[in-house]
Amino acid sequence: MVNDDGTAKTLKEPDATSARVTGGGKTKARPRGRPRSFDRETALEKALLAFWEHGYEATSVSDLTRVMDIGAPSLYAAFGDKRSLFDEVVRVYGTRHGSFTDRALAEEPTARAAVERILREAAAVYTEPGHPHGCLVVHAAANCSNPEVEQSLRDRRNANIAAFESRIRADVAAGVLPPATDAAALARHTGAMIQGMSQQARDGASREELEAVAEIALSIWPRTGTHTG
């Protein structure tokens, strides 16, 4: 196209605010470019499942953006870096999937009753469909090169063992368990059973098989008026 004086006309590209699109006989303003919106809770749950299935190290930022269906800028804006996202995932996991331990310790009248409930609920939660098997807190730091992530999950596992020991010692003091009960060893045994059941669930053990393991684990608990060997 040329002007009346024979010079070439300059065509201007429409900007984001002035561009128009026509459809159905009506003219509409094209929206200004902006980051894609997303539901934060849905995206967080998808990240939780990814970390639960593959662990911290093996789950890359590109894996997360793919499963969460968001871009990297949106991930960083909403959750911070990968480590910050993982920390939030672990907190959410503890509330949604791992709270049965705290509930049992708070609600059951004795340490043995609490541990019995915890092991049976672990057998159910670790094998139920709809999410990866096993426990995220047990497995997420496997082959992890980040010492802070490893330590964070280790602290959570050790906190559970400390809570078991505290309840056992309280029962010893109350006469519910014999005075010779080795509270530290019994608490450690409970932690080992929970972590072992988690691995067995990932290896394909069924709920019924894990419940049978729990039954054997409970058989070693001392009774009032007995001694621990």
Side-chain angles (χ1 to χ4, degrees):
M1 299 177 66
V2 298
N3 295 310
D4 292 339
D5 60 3
T7 59
K9 285 186 175 181
T10 300
L11 298 179
K12 295 183 178 180
E13 293 290 338
D15 60 27
T17 56
S18 62
R20 320 287 288 187
V21 292
T22 303
K26 296 182 179 180
T27 302
K28 298 180 180 179
R30 180 180 298 163
R32 183 183 298 274
R34 66 187 64 181
R36 181 178 179 180
S37 61
F38 64 96
D39 183 88
R40 191 180 189 281
E41 289 303 310
T42 299
L44 183 61
E45 180 66 19
K46 291 177 179 178
L48 186 155
L49 294 175
F51 281 126
W52 194 349
E53 177 68 29
H54 304 292
Y56 179 83
E57 189 76 17
T59 306
S60 66
V61 171
S62 61
D63 292 331
L64 292 166
T65 57
R66 175 176 51 80
V67 299
M68 297 167 76
D69 195 26
I70 61 175
S74 295
L75 186 153
Y76 291 124
F79 301 102
D81 59 12
K82 175 183 170 181
R83 170 66 195 283
S84 298
L85 171 59
F86 181 72
D87 288 344
E88 184 169 355
V89 158
V90 172
R91 290 193 295 271
V92 171
Y93 173 86
T95 300
R96 296 181 185 172
H97 303 282
S99 59
F100 62 87
T101 296
D102 289 340
R103 288 198 305 269
L105 288 171
E107 295 171 4
E108 295 300 325
T110 66
R112 188 186 190 283
V115 169
E116 179 177 7
R117 175 173 163 182
I118 289 166
L119 294 180
R120 294 192 184 284
E121 293 193 16
V125 171
Y126 293 169
T127 59
E128 67 186 359
H131 60 67
H133 286 178
C135 173
L136 180 148
V137 175
V138 173
H139 298 288
N143 302 315
C144 180
S145 62
N146 187 315
E148 293 179 352
V149 169
E150 286 187 309
Q151 187 62 50
S152 174
L153 297 181
R154 186 181 301 117
D155 288 345
R156 286 179 174 271
R157 295 191 297 268
N158 286 335
N160 281 340
I161 293 173
F164 301 151
E165 183 175 349
S166 178
R167 283 298 308 273
I168 293 167
R169 290 191 183 281
D171 280 3
V172 171
V176 176
L177 288 171
T181 299
D182 189 335
L186 195 55
R188 184 69 63 181
H189 173 267
T190 300
M193 294 308 305
I194 292 170
Q195 293 172 31
M197 289 170 66
S198 176
Q199 183 60 56
Q200 287 291 305
R202 288 183 75 89
D203 289 345
S206 68
R207 174 177 178 175
E208 292 73 21
E209 288 171 328
L210 294 183
E211 286 177 341
V213 170
E215 194 69 30
I216 294 172
L218 290 165
S219 68
I220 65 98
W221 274 67
R223 302 284 185 173
T224 304
T226 65
H227 295 281
T228 58

